[in-house]
């Protein structure tokens, strides 16, 4: 049900009641899914536009429930955020990603850094920094193999707590990337407020590179700006050879997208790591 915003008594309408019930059902299911290990990670390769090598993997969470139904992050991350489950989900994801790196290392698979998405709320409660450092220690993985992706909009919420945690993580050698750059209504002024490592240009800019020349101008500007600040640039959602060519000409360092590879299961990721042929 969509709220029409005019009638306060809507809250008592049965359709909305059912929606709340459905959400509660979903959050209880998700709680159980976390306990029953129904969540898993797929990995999307990132390639250097300079050397053409596979240089990183972004971990993306999936949920297959007991009946074999597949849920995408958009189906359950917002519910996890609203029902106080995002902290546990985030820790679970981080742990799985590091366990995967450790397993690959044991198998002799050449490693690259793994990028893990972090929700704003994960900084708000508990000891996020402590958890990350402890997880690295438990899996005996060096900090240089981990990049944390924080969305631009969660940085704009900019609590001192978030910023100081990011800086602490970075001092420990963990890389920090700003995700979905260009979508967060931010002012440019915050860009040199924290030390970060990479900017990820949002797919919405990449997808219009060939059709809106003003977009190509913006993207070129963002790349120059990032380089001036010493940040790497990753373009996400690259789907066409034309987009890739514009990005390369503009000096973008890294690209990720369906053109290069969809997110893949760990077994396939290991194959790609073993033979990092350029796509
Ligand atoms: P994101 O961080 O911007 O991740 C990129 C999303 O774009 C992924 O969708 C990916 O599959 C998709 N994508 C990649 N290349 C292309 C392309 O060329 N074309 C198109 N159309 N799409 C592409 P996914 O896996 O559904 O994830 C959606 C969002 O869910 C992510 O956006 C991220 O914000 C969030 N998310 C995913 N995993 C996690 C997680 O473990 N924790 C948290 N907090 N959020 C997560
Ligand atoms: Ca991301
Ligand atoms: Ca992104
Ligand atoms: Ca995005």
């Amino acid at each position: 049900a969509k709220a029409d915003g005019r009638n306060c008594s809507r809250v008592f309408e049965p359709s909305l009641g059912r929606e709340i019930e459905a959400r509660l059902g979903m959050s209880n299911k998700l709680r159980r899914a976390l306990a029953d290990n129904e969540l898993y990670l797929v990995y999307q390769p990132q390639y250097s536009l300079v050397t053409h090598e596979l240089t990183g993997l972004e971990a993306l969470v999936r949920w297959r429930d007991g009946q074999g139904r597949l849920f995408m992050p958009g189906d359950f991350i917002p519910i996890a955020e609203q029902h106080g489950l995002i902290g546990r989900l985030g820790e679970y994801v981080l742990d799985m990603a590091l366990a995967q790196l450790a397993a690959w290392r044991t198998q002799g698979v050449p490693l690259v850094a793994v990028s893990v998405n972090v929700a704003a709320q994960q900084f708000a409660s508990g000891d996020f920094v402590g958890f990350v450092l402890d997880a690295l220690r438990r899996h005996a993985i060096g900090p240089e193999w981990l990049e944390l992706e924080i969305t631009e909009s969660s940085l704009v919420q900019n609590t001192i707590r978030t910023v100081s945690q990011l800086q602490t993580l970075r001092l420990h050698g963990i890389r920090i990337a700003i995700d979905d750059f260009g979508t967060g209504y931010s002012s440019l002024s915050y860009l040199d407020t924290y030390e970060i490592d990479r900017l990820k240009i949002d797919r919405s800019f990449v997808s219009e590179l060939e059709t809106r020349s003003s977009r190509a101008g913006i993207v070129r500007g963002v790349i120059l700006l990032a380089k001036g600040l010493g940040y790497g640039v990753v373009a996400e959602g690259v789907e066409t050879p034309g987009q890739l060519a514009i990005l390369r000409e503009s000096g973008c360092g890294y690209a990720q997208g369906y053109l290069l590879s969809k997110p893949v299961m760990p077994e396939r990721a290991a194959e790609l790591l073993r033979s990092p042929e350029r796509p």
Side-chain angles (χ1 to χ4, degrees):
K2 289 206 173 68
D4 62 21
R6 271 174 301 177
N7 187 346
C8 296
S9 69
R10 268 197 67 83
V11 166
F12 300 105
E13 279 175 25
S15 60
L16 192 58
R18 268 200 301 278
E19 188 178 301
I20 290 167
E21 220 169 85
R23 280 182 162 271
L24 273 178
M26 188 79 165
S27 74
N28 288 331
K29 263 190 74 180
L30 184 55
R31 213 179 295 274
R32 252 175 284 129
L34 277 161
D36 296 349
N37 301 314
E38 289 177 1
L39 301 189
Y40 62 97
L41 294 177
V42 290
Y43 296 87
Q44 188 173 35
Q46 301 171 345
Y47 291 90
S48 163
L49 293 183
V50 179
T51 68
H52 306 297
E53 283 170 324
L54 201 177
T55 53
L57 294 169
E58 178 175 4
L60 295 160
V61 67
R62 300 288 181 263
W63 171 17
R64 194 175 290 280
D65 74 2
Q67 284 109 313
R69 279 175 303 203
L70 176 66
F71 296 98
M72 301 298 278
D75 303 326
F76 59 91
I77 294 284
I79 292 172
E81 286 176 331
Q82 284 154 27
H83 293 268
L85 291 171
I86 193 68
R88 270 173 60 205
L89 188 151
E91 292 183 354
Y92 187 85
V93 161
L94 184 70
D95 200 69
M96 256 195 298
L98 297 178
Q100 185 64 69
L101 278 171
W104 281 333
R105 184 179 50 199
T106 305
Q107 296 157 21
V109 176
L111 301 186
V112 293
V114 169
S115 305
V116 174
N117 292 284
V118 177
Q121 273 185 55
Q122 288 180 254
F123 293 100
S125 58
D127 179 14
F128 180 67
V129 171
F131 181 84
V132 173
L133 297 178
D134 183 61
L136 287 168
R137 240 175 272 126
R138 269 188 289 115
H139 295 286
I141 297 291
E144 68 274 23
W145 302 109
L146 180 62
E147 177 173 75
L148 299 177
E149 296 193 1
I150 328 290
T151 64
E152 187 189 13
S153 37
S154 66
L155 273 184
V156 172
Q157 296 168 21
N158 181 8
T159 64
I160 291 181
R161 220 177 121 64
T162 302
V163 175
S164 74
Q165 289 180 84
L166 283 180
Q167 299 306 290
T168 306
L169 288 164
R170 205 162 169 277
L171 285 174
H172 279 91
I174 294 150
R175 285 178 7 204
I176 305 294
I178 299 187
D179 203 359
D180 297 349
F181 187 77
T183 62
Y185 297 102
S186 61
S187 84
L188 292 175
S189 71
Y190 84 98
L191 257 186
D192 66 351
T193 315
Y194 340 108
E195 297 281 311
I196 59 148
D197 297 279
R198 302 206 291 176
L199 284 185
K200 294 191 79 175
I201 299 178
D202 190 64
R203 182 169 84 228
S204 56
F205 287 87
V206 173
S207 63
E208 292 182 316
L209 272 180
E210 291 168 291
T211 48
R212 259 172 91 185
S213 60
S214 59
R215 287 273 136 155
I218 291 175
V219 167
R220 249 192 298 278
V222 168
I223 292 167
L224 280 175
L225 178 76
K227 285 188 158 177
L229 292 164
Y231 304 157
V233 184
V234 189
E236 66 177 24
V238 180
E239 293 183 346
T240 71
Q243 290 163 1
L244 192 68
I246 293 170
L247 289 163
R248 188 176 279 129
E249 285 159 20
S250 308
C252 180
Y254 307 90
Q256 182 182 345
Y258 292 170
L259 174 72
L260 303 164
S261 171
K262 294 208 164 175
V264 296
M265 293 294 281
E267 297 71 28
R268 176 66 187 142
E271 281 175 23
L272 294 171
L273 289 169
R274 283 204 154 103
S275 60
E277 87 276 9
R278 74 155 294 205

